[in-house]
Amino acid sequence: MSILGVANAVFGVSDLEEHQRFWTDFGLSLSQANEDEAIFELPSGSRITLYRHGDPRLPSPDPFPGDGLKETVWGVENADMLEGIATSLATEVDVRRDADGTVHCLCPDGQPIAVQIWDKRPVVSEASPVNTPGHYPRFNQHRIWRRRAIPKTINHVVFFSPDYVGSFEFYERHMGFRYVDHSKGTGIFARAPGTFEHHAIFWVNCDLPIAPDHFKFMHIAFGMDDIDEVMLGANIMEAKGWKNASMNSSGGISRHRISSAIYYYCDMPGKAGEAEYHADTDYLDDNWVPRAWDFRFGSLLWSNNAPPIFRGDNIPWDMAFDADRASFEPFRKTKPGKRKVEGKLAEITIEDEHAL
């Protein structure tokens, strides 16, 4: 069951024209547009699809109020894989099929998903070698001169989940997703089996003080070549008038310790969530050994604007290999509803969100 990544991210929006302008400025190529839709396509073949609220092509009922990513469409290589996933999903949830064979269902946590055959394209990209005082592979060469940011792939999507352990295990049972890392009490990172990026999806715990009590979209990340492209994108978006105003975009450019990735969020119109420029993430395969982290240690290596809970020299260097998934048990749910969190998790505020 080789899921190749996000083939299509389907958004429901109020102001189609404003969202179209946002994604154009962000660096995506417009494939088609009319008064009812706008479709952007990345070099990998992934798409961003925008529909107005109420469009019959959106999931019904709406999974959460307002603008945002309403359906995640995962791509597979061939019909046999698609049928295998459809059969597996049907043992647990209701499955609907389109005329072209695309499978739709609603996950137990409230997330609408689809699975379709996808001809994913190889991506050509290049980053300049990095010189250090004792090692200079870019000898007698300057760095690549870039003019703009061009997202190449959809690297991952992030959602709030009312049962993040259960959300991961559903994806694992039916679509073969791999456990990669666990930010204890915060969320689980999972890799699509046909990809090498550190994670294709991350579920954030709805029990956190900052979280809604229901499934909700948080952000979507796009693969960039290097830090230069990330910062070009950030500068261009600001010059185009896209000012970050949410707490989740307040950190500026930052780097996670989990995943190693450099990232920068841009607020979408209509409080729809964030689009993330994402570079230099870890790439891995099935030889990877999953790890469990203290959320403060795993979240940030550095940040332009680190929230207070992530500052100071008292953060424990807490990481353990977790192949047996023992770290899941304190956060596993047997009934719905919010459960009280304790310790530093209970101190998380809205300004900490961008570092999670």
Side-chain angles (χ1 to χ4, degrees), residues 38-350:
I39 299 175
F40 295 85
E41 191 162 309
L42 284 83
S44 66
S46 292
R47 289 177 293 160
I48 297 292
T49 298
L50 309 177
Y51 296 134
R52 297 185 192 276
H53 290 306
D55 192 291
R57 292 168 291 186
L58 288 169
S60 181
D62 194 324
F64 56 84
D67 292 0
L69 203 172
K70 303 296 185 174
E71 184 176 52
T72 308
V73 183
W74 299 98
V76 296
E77 291 183 66
N78 56 52
D80 287 344
M81 291 178 181
L82 181 61
E83 291 307 313
I85 291 172
T87 299
S88 183
L89 287 168
T91 64
E92 190 169 348
V93 295
D94 292 333
V95 169
R96 176 176 62 83
R97 303 293 291 262
D98 290 342
D100 66 0
T102 299
V103 173
H104 300 263
C105 75
L106 184 67
C107 300
D109 63 9
Q111 183 195 15
I113 64 169
V115 185
Q116 65 180 202
I117 298 172
W118 181 35
D119 185 18
K120 186 178 183 179
R121 297 194 293 259
V123 172
V124 177
S125 63
E126 183 180 6
S128 295
V130 175
N131 287 340
T132 66
H135 179 66
Y136 22 88
R138 200 181 71 253
F139 193 72
N140 283 334
Q141 301 176 54
H142 54 69
R143 288 183 66 83
I144 295 171
W145 292 357
R146 303 184 185 276
R147 298 186 64 181
R148 64 171 306 174
I150 303 176
K152 313 301 189 299
T153 59
I154 296 176
N155 274 14
H156 65 256
V157 287
V158 178
F159 301 98
F160 290 103
S161 169
D163 178 8
Y164 76 88
V165 175
S167 293
F168 161 69
E169 291 178 338
F170 179 84
Y171 264 63
E172 182 182 42
R173 276 195 303 278
H174 301 298
M175 296 188 289
F177 275 62
R178 308 301 203 254
Y179 168 38
V180 174
D181 281 310
H182 180 198
S183 180
K184 292 179 288 187
T186 300
I188 290 174
F189 299 84
R191 179 175 62 87
T195 67
F196 298 117
E197 288 97 345
H198 177 272
H199 59 286
I201 188 167
F202 176 48
W203 296 273
V204 178
N205 187 3
C206 276
D207 293 342
L208 296 175
I210 61 164
D213 60 1
H214 54 83
F215 167 80
K216 195 174 189 301
F217 169 63
M218 186 178 183
H219 71 256
I220 181 169
F222 296 83
M224 317 300 290
D225 283 355
D226 56 20
I227 189 173
D228 298 343
E229 199 172 27
V230 170
M231 286 310 300
L232 269 173
N235 289 344
I236 290 169
M237 290 297 280
E238 185 164 325
K240 295 281 188 180
W242 300 108
K243 303 293 186 182
N244 287 336
S246 74
M247 295 309 300
N248 199 34
S249 61
S250 65
I253 188 169
S254 308
R255 188 188 283 272
H256 289 304
R257 187 173 272 115
I258 291 180
S259 86
S260 303
I262 287 172
Y263 63 96
Y264 181 89
Y265 294 126
C266 298
D267 288 342
M268 297 179 196
K271 298 182 179 179
E274 297 82 37
E276 175 186 351
Y277 291 123
H278 191 256
D280 195 26
T281 189
D282 294 329
Y283 281 71
L284 43 104
D285 62 14
D286 286 346
N287 292 305
W288 182 263
V289 180
R291 305 163 298 178
W293 303 71
D294 173 87
F295 79 95
R296 289 178 299 157
F297 180 58
S299 293
L300 289 178
L301 181 61
W302 51 262
S303 176
N304 180 61
N305 181 26
I309 200 169
F310 295 99
R311 297 176 192 160
D313 56 7
N314 61 339
I315 295 174
W317 285 52
D318 181 350
M319 186 282 289
F321 292 111
D322 194 42
D324 64 0
R325 308 181 183 194
S327 71
F328 287 13
E329 296 313 310
F331 308 101
R332 186 179 297 282
K333 286 194 171 179
T334 57
K335 60 182 181 180
K338 281 222 177 196
R339 188 165 62 186
K340 184 179 179 181
V341 294
E342 299 177 340
K344 288 295 181 181
L345 287 170
E347 298 176 20
I348 291 176
T349 66
I350 194 68

Side-chain angles (χ1 to χ4, degrees), residues 10-31:
V10 180
F11 284 79
V13 301
S14 297
D15 190 333
L16 183 64
E17 292 74 18
E18 187 73 346
H19 280 264
Q20 183 175 322
R21 184 172 74 87
F22 173 88
W23 289 112
T24 300
D25 292 344
F26 191 76
L28 302 191
S29 295
L30 184 64
S31 174

